[in-house]
Amino acid sequence: MILSIFLGLPLAYAIIIPRDHASTFFHRHSLYHRSTLDSWTSYGCWTDNTGARTFSAASYTNTTGMTVESCISFCSSGANSYVYAGVEYAQECYCGNYLASDASNVSMSECDMTCTGNASELCGAGDRLNVYWSGTQPPSPPIIVPGVGNWRSLGCYNDSTITRALANGMRVTGQVTVESCTTACQDGGYQYAGVEYANECYCGMTLDNGSGPTPASSCDMTCAGNASEYCGGPDHLNLYNYTGTPATTDNTGGGTSTEFFITPSLSGGWTYGGCYVDNANGRVLGDELDSNDMTVESCVAHCTADSFTIAGLEYSTQCFCGNELIDGAIKAPDSDCNMACGGNATEACGAGNRLSVYTSTGNITILPVPTPLTSGLPGHWVYQGCLAEPAPGSHLFAYENDWTNNNTVEACLNQCAAFGYPAAGLEYGEQCFCGDISDVVDNNGTFVSGSECNMPCSGDPAHLCGANNLMSAYYWNGTMNVWHTPENIGRYEFLIGGVVVPLIATVGINNKVTFLEKYPTSEFANSTGAYELDISLVDNYLLAWREMHVKSDVFCSGSIILPDKGARQINVGGWSLESTYGVRLYTPDGQPGVNGTNDWEENANELSLQRGRWYPTAMMMPNGSILVVGGETGSNGPPQPSLEILPKPPGGDTVITLDYLQRTDPNNLYPFLLVLPSGRFFIGYYNEARILDPVTFDTVTVLPNMPGAVNNFLAGRTYPMEGTAVLLPQHAPYTDPIEILICGGSTPGAAIALDNCVSIIPEASNPTWTLERMPSKRVMPCMVTLPDGTYMILNGAHQGVAGFGLASDPNFSALLYDPSQPVGQRISILNSTIVARLYHSEATLLPDGRVLVSGSDPETNYPNGTAVYPEEFRIEVYIPPYLNQGFRQPEFTIAKTDWALGGQYNIVVTLYQGTTSTMRVSLIAASSSTHGNVMSGGRIIFPEFSCSGNTCTITAPPNAFVCPPGWHQLFVLDGPTPSHSAWVRIGGDPAQLGNWPDYPDFTAPGV
């Protein structure tokens, strides 16, 4: 199933991406584990546990600014002087002198989350710590204090947050130690004292609720006030018995009585709501604020400021806020909330796992213990159960969204479905994972008891969203994506060995292919930068190639075909310095089997761009002029966020600056430029798009942002996160709005290639992007328009971005996209090659209907300097399915090849399978392709025609908006089988480019 989606994804569902992604992405900062910092060194990746921390001393959290350096500084400065520092879950810092006994050293790959304050550093993961060591030896290990004065240790005893072993939580002077707790209990006249969870103190006259001794190892947390002592553990007390003479007190076992606490008078309608048990099934309130100066008034003020209606105070110094109590909160006697507030000893601020609750509405809503959401699910989703991850730190599903405050089952399922993923898992309350059902088997997933998925959703506390390393799993019941696997899938064939690695491939009207490469920065000193391949001579390598010449470096320039009489190829821009201003022209000559003599013409002193441009796009406008847009000023130089026109209009500087290209640099190179049937222009850049006025170039419409990855809306579609774009077919009488298809791309940071295509009708009344998932991920793809109105998608990689050494894992398979099929059922899986086609690979339609596949210049090397993926000289052709059936191709003759808009022209056809009643005619605009950008938009038109016998009359397109002036390959299709093409020019040369430029070093072919 495919959903049409807006990119207006609620901000609540946004993912955290480093703020500097745009500037760092293009320059390829790599993630790394800090190895040394001053005297501190990496000590590896270690397990942690929220119930029993690996480091139980000082800690803090910074959701936006955590770095390895700041954590080490915290753990080694002022009152903190610890041996170890650890960063976890991107934003948490822990200190200690000892590693907990149950902590274990694991692979560094499990610590894979980037620090919130430095996206180039790694800060642990869920339950994983990047540990750093100061180089000094830790002090003596902590001990269970055997006694303090008349207090004697009874050992480690079990406790419960619901039914306490010792009835009274006690606030101590300073931080909790065995000494401070026993002193507080002695002053209160109690028989027993217990320290728990590092910083909790409890007193009582009796040991209640069946508490009994447990192994000493259960009390493994060091005291917050003295790391050399143990202060219990989770739900475990280090218990002490007073053996001296009891002091004379008025205490009857109630400890600090609530009788001398007052209930303050509060403004804003706030009133006391009672004492509630916390942590019976989980925290009943969130949004925690800790302060040693806590008062009821300050907590209420904090919750009011954040628009909450319930405030809860706990353990003297803690404030929690919310709009309801969750996890089945139950009321406790008011006497249980018996700890004085840190900032006002006359007020009660809860106790250990007891909340003094206040409400601004007079009502307290209590939500039940959360349960799995199994009914009322969107679409065809069905709950499957609790699914265990294969191992800590690894995940069954590849795509993760972290929604800290707003994760819900419905939001997660809708997100996965919108991007074509039929399996969804919710984990750790706030994580949403998307993937395929097959991932569960492939990654050894197992289902466990449903009770183990017990964490409420961060955005819906009434329902469960997994637990630590456990997912609440949902599957789509039915088929979400239809990827056809036809019997006839076509095939790759080796064509000829190459002489260079081409960057730009162009089929000329002489039916030969011109190639341009990165001269003079080629790896080959004798390269001339330009060559022409005669397809008719591929059986004779020495005759097939003709050497040509360019005068400056065309590396990452742009090309289109002019509508002049000679169908000249124009190339603009280049790599650096003078070449970035380059304008080069070549008039194809010769014929198959006969060499031409023309060469590239260039003289920067006579003809040049107004701005230097590296990675520009060129487009033929309806008025016959050339639009050149974007790029950078040179190799990795500042942006060139502007447009200009060739031939240069009269007057001075006519360059127009485009602020949106300035803003999105460097992720908008080789922008997509397309002429719309209204005469306006579509421009797609990075992940944005808009419609431009064809005269002023002002923005007419800002379109919705393009969808990206399911877990990263900042994914891009233009270089360097390179995808490819085409116009979908236009059919006479041209009343249907035109549609644009964009496939592939990548994400910033991790550079995970996109596995989807998106399409839009830009001039619809309410334009939205429709997303269709592809069978595999693909960055740097090529897309070729075929004569039957389908599109071949091939080349590229599963991971990385465009650039030297920046991609891996080649995608060897080819796909066929058929827009005549229903949305979501348009993709067929074709054959595969053995040749890696990565950066600088191209695919081009040949006049006989085959697809020429060339190039690959990844420059990806092993550490010893040998190539992982070599520079690729081999040239292949793909035989599409329509040529793989054994049918003879139809034929036709044509007398007139220079067509006026709206004119009628005859052809005589010879068909071998069908009749003219089932015949089709198509026109494919001449194009030049580089970096997957087909600079004609891959325009294909199915014109009106009628036949009398074998003579057919074709009506040319009506205007230059439907069909900008230029050369087209004319095909006849006999059923599925195309003919060889004939070149026709449509719309003439309205800007008189055939007489331009009027300089001695250029040959004008005429109009």
Side-chain angles (χ1 to χ4, degrees):
M1 189 195 83
I2 305 300
L3 303 180
S4 292
I5 59 176
F6 283 96
L7 251 287
L9 190 66
L11 184 61
Y13 296 159
I15 61 172
I16 298 173
I17 297 292
R19 289 189 296 267
D20 59 352
H21 74 278
S23 60
T24 61
F25 173 75
F26 186 69
H27 299 288
R28 310 187 295 276
H29 288 238
S30 299
L31 301 180
Y32 64 96
H33 298 272
R34 278 279 192 182
S35 57
T36 61
L37 188 69
D38 296 329
S39 61
W40 292 72
T41 57
S42 173
Y43 201 63
C45 181
W46 290 75
T47 59
D48 196 15
N49 188 313
T50 55
R53 289 291 181 190
T54 296
F55 297 132
S56 57
S59 65
Y60 80 102
T61 299
N62 189 332
T63 59
T64 60
M66 181 61 68
T67 65
V68 173
E69 295 87 344
S70 63
C71 180
I72 288 175
S73 175
F74 173 77
C75 292
S76 59
S77 303
N80 297 331
S81 183
Y82 296 99
V83 172
Y84 299 108
V87 280
E88 180 170 344
Y89 206 66
Q91 60 190 11
E92 300 169 1
C93 172
Y94 297 92
C95 314
N97 287 324
Y98 317 98
L99 290 156
S101 59
D102 59 348
S104 59
N105 190 210
V106 295
S107 169
M108 288 291 279
S109 63
E110 296 187 23
C111 287
D112 59 0
M113 294 184 69
T114 58
C115 303
T116 59
N118 185 346
S120 68
E121 293 182 346
L122 291 165
C123 281
D127 291 337
R128 292 294 182 274
L129 282 160
N130 275 116
V131 175
Y132 292 85
W133 177 42
S134 67
T136 60
Q137 294 302 314
S140 299
I143 61 169
I144 295 177
V145 176
V148 179
N150 290 320
W151 293 88
R152 295 291 177 264
S153 171
L154 298 178
C156 185
Y157 277 64
N158 65 294
D159 194 13
S160 167
T161 58
I162 301 175
T163 53
R164 286 292 181 191
L166 298 176
N168 302 285
M170 187 66 67
R171 184 167 182 265
V172 303
T173 301
Q175 291 187 304
V176 170
T177 65
V178 173
E179 292 79 3
S180 64
C181 182
T182 52
T183 298
C185 293
Q186 184 171 342
D187 291 346
Y190 292 102
Q191 181 67 40
Y192 296 101
V195 281
E196 182 169 342
Y197 206 69
N199 63 352
E200 298 175 4
C201 173
Y202 296 92
C203 308
M205 296 302 294
T206 59
L207 193 61
D208 300 330
N209 297 307
S211 177
T214 61
S217 60
S218 298
C219 290
D220 61 353
M221 297 182 71
T222 58
C223 300
N226 186 346
S228 68
E229 303 174 349
Y230 282 119
C231 278
D235 293 332
H236 286 82
L237 289 158
N238 277 113
L239 186 65
Y240 291 84
N241 178 39
Y242 187 69
T243 60
T245 302
T248 303
T249 69
D250 195 22
N251 189 348
T252 60
T256 306
S257 171
T258 58
E259 293 178 4
F260 58 80
F261 289 129
I262 63 171
T263 300
S265 177
L266 302 169
S267 61
W270 287 86
T271 56
Y272 178 63
C275 182
Y276 283 81
V277 176
D278 193 14
N279 252 336
N281 302 294
R283 285 287 189 191
V284 300
L285 280 174
D287 193 60
E288 180 176 354
L289 172 70
D290 295 339
S291 171
N292 289 330
D293 298 320
M294 185 63 65
T295 65
V296 174
E297 292 84 351
S298 64
C299 179
V300 165
H302 168 69
C303 295
T304 300
D306 287 343
S307 301
F308 290 111
T309 59
I310 293 178
L313 300 104
E314 183 168 341
Y315 206 73
S316 181
T317 59
Q318 298 172 333
C319 171
F320 298 88
C321 307
N323 292 315
E324 59 272 317
L325 301 182
I326 65 173
D327 266 335
I330 57 174
K331 211 166 187 183
D334 285 344
S335 59
D336 279 12
C337 290
N338 54 24
M339 292 185 70
C341 296
N344 185 345
T346 68
E347 298 175 350
C349 280
N353 290 307
R354 295 296 185 273
L355 280 164
S356 298
V357 175
Y358 291 79
T359 171
S360 66
T361 64
N363 297 315
I364 296 176
T365 300
I366 300 175
L367 297 181
V369 175
T371 59
L373 182 60
T374 59
S375 61
L377 299 172
H380 299 287
W381 290 99
V382 177
Y383 176 67
Q384 302 298 310
C386 186
L387 182 58
E389 298 279 24
S394 62
H395 300 293
L396 292 169
F397 302 141
Y399 298 97
E400 176 182 352
N401 291 287
D402 293 329
W403 296 334
T404 307
N405 300 312
N406 45 27
N407 194 27
T408 68
V409 173
E410 297 91 337
C412 181
L413 301 186
N414 284 333
Q415 182 74 352
C416 294
F419 285 83
Y421 296 101
L426 298 102
E427 184 169 334
Y428 208 68
E430 60 190 41
Q431 296 171 328
C432 166
F433 289 92
C434 301
D436 291 301
I437 297 171
S438 59
D439 294 337
V440 177
V441 175
D442 294 344
N443 297 315
N444 300 314
T446 56
F447 283 92
V448 297
S449 169
S451 62
E452 295 189 41
C453 285
N454 54 18
M455 293 186 70
C457 304
S458 63
D460 177 13
H463 293 105
L464 290 169
C465 282
N468 188 27
N469 292 314
L470 296 167
M471 290 193 296
S472 299
Y474 295 81
Y475 292 169
W476 185 268
N477 183 24
T479 301
M480 183 173 281
N481 306 291
V482 176
W483 297 316
H484 304 287
T485 55
E487 284 189 24
N488 180 8
I489 57 176
R491 66 189 189 276
Y492 280 92
E493 287 184 354
F494 173 75
L495 184 68
I496 191 172
V499 292
V500 293
V501 179
L503 309 186
I504 302 174
T506 310
V507 177
I509 64 167
N510 59 358
N511 287 342
K512 301 180 183 182
V513 185
T514 59
F515 294 112
L516 296 174
E517 75 142 343
K518 54 182 191 291
Y519 166 90
T521 50
S522 170
E523 285 73 12
F524 307 98
N526 62 346
S527 171
T528 64
Y531 296 85
E532 187 172 61
L533 174 63
D534 189 334
I535 300 295
S536 71
L537 299 175
V538 294
D539 291 334
N540 190 326
Y541 180 87
L542 296 177
L543 294 179
W545 291 100
R546 179 168 78 96
E547 180 179 294
M548 301 175 70
H549 308 81
V550 290
K551 297 178 181 178
S552 60
D553 199 335
V554 299
F555 176 26
C556 299
S557 53
S559 292
I560 59 172
I561 313 301
L562 300 186
D564 58 31
K565 185 177 293 186
R568 283 182 297 174
Q569 301 171 17
I570 185 171
N571 177 266
V572 296
W575 181 53
S576 64
L577 304 175
E578 181 183 272
S579 68
T580 63
Y581 292 85
V583 178
R584 309 163 193 92
L585 291 158
Y586 164 60
T587 306
D589 66 336
Q591 59 189 15
V594 179
N595 268 351
T597 58
N598 291 344
D599 207 338
W600 286 92
E601 298 175 341
E602 176 181 6
N603 187 335
N605 295 321
E606 295 176 348
L607 179 64
S608 65
L609 296 172
Q610 296 180 69
R611 297 286 190 275
R613 298 181 187 276
W614 187 51
Y615 292 101
T617 298
M619 183 191 77
M620 179 56 56
M621 296 194 294
N623 66 4
S625 299
I626 305 159
L627 180 64
V628 183
V629 178
E632 294 183 335
T633 58
S635 178
N636 293 319
Q640 189 57 266
S642 63
L643 63 81
E644 60 181 282
I645 296 171
L646 289 173
K648 179 184 176 297
D653 191 325
T654 57
V655 172
I656 297 175
T657 299
L658 305 173
D659 64 313
Y660 46 88
L661 293 187
Q662 176 77 54
R663 171 174 51 79
T664 54
D665 178 77
N667 296 324
N668 58 29
L669 306 182
Y670 281 139
F672 303 132
L673 291 177
L674 305 166
V675 177
L676 302 175
S678 66
R680 293 168 173 166
F681 303 156
F682 171 94
I683 180 170
Y685 53 95
Y686 179 34
N687 61 6
E688 301 180 11
R690 59 185 65 209
I691 299 173
L692 305 180
D693 183 275
V695 177
T696 64
F697 302 104
D698 292 338
T699 297
V700 176
T701 305
V702 176
L703 296 169
N705 279 20
M706 304 174 198
V710 66
N711 63 338
N712 194 337
F713 64 88
L714 294 174
R717 303 283 181 172
T718 52
Y719 184 98
M721 292 179 277
E722 184 180 300
T724 183
V726 294
L727 289 161
L728 293 185
Q730 300 177 89
H731 297 265
Y734 314 108
T735 54
D736 292 334
I738 201 165
E739 194 169 359
I740 293 167
L741 175 70
I742 302 174
C743 293
S746 193
T747 61
I752 304 301
L754 302 183
D755 62 357
N756 60 63
C757 297
V758 294
S759 56
I760 192 169
I761 301 174
E763 295 188 299
S765 58
N766 184 27
T768 60
W769 292 96
T770 297
L771 185 144
E772 297 171 273
R773 188 172 167 212
M774 295 189 290
S776 56
K777 296 176 286 189
R778 201 178 296 260
V779 64
M780 300 178 293
C782 298
M783 187 150 50
V784 182
T785 305
L786 300 182
D788 62 353
T790 62
Y791 300 82
M792 184 170 288
I793 304 168
L794 65 172
N795 299 355
H798 294 98
Q799 188 279 331
V801 295
F804 292 128
L806 300 181
S808 61
D809 193 8
N811 193 324
F812 293 105
S813 69
L815 304 175
L816 191 70
Y817 183 93
D818 184 355
S820 69
Q821 298 301 309
V823 170
Q825 302 179 36
R826 294 177 169 180
I827 294 176
S828 295
I829 301 171
L830 299 186
N831 223 321
S832 296
T833 181
I834 61 170
V835 180
R837 302 284 184 184
L838 300 170
Y839 187 46
H840 290 161
S841 64
E842 301 303 329
T844 307
L845 178 68
L846 294 175
D848 61 10
R850 295 179 298 172
V851 175
L852 184 140
V853 186
S854 63
S856 186
D857 187 24
E859 298 191 14
T860 303
N861 296 326
Y862 292 110
N864 64 4
T866 60
V868 179
Y869 309 110
E871 290 191 301
E872 189 53 65
F873 292 84
R874 288 173 290 180
I875 293 177
E876 299 171 284
V877 287
Y878 197 99
I879 314 299
Y882 56 55
L883 294 179
N884 197 42
Q885 303 177 89
F887 295 155
R888 183 172 177 178
Q889 292 180 256
E891 300 168 6
F892 68 93
T893 59
I894 183 169
K896 190 167 183 179
T897 59
D898 200 353
W899 294 6
L901 292 165
Q904 292 188 324
Y905 304 93
N906 292 335
I907 61 173
V908 178
V909 302
T910 302
L911 307 179
Y912 297 101
Q913 279 79 49
T915 67
T916 55
S917 64
T918 58
M919 186 184 84
R920 290 184 293 164
V921 174
S922 64
L923 293 159
I924 298 181
S927 66
S928 185
S929 176
T930 183
H931 293 74
N933 190 330
V934 183
M935 293 191 188
S936 69
R939 186 182 299 270
I940 182 170
I941 296 169
F942 288 88
E944 179 185 354
F945 70 93
S946 60
C947 298
S948 176
N950 286 347
T951 300
C952 298
T953 301
I954 302 171
T955 301
N959 58 60
F961 301 156
V962 170
C963 178
W967 289 85
H968 295 71
Q969 293 189 67
L970 171 65
F971 288 93
V972 167
L973 292 112
D974 183 3
T977 310
S979 64
H980 287 229
S981 68
W983 289 97
V984 297
R985 182 170 71 151
I986 304 176
D989 185 4
Q992 304 287 298
L993 294 179
N995 297 327
W996 169 87
D998 187 13
Y999 293 116
D1001 291 302
F1002 293 89
T1003 303
V1007 299

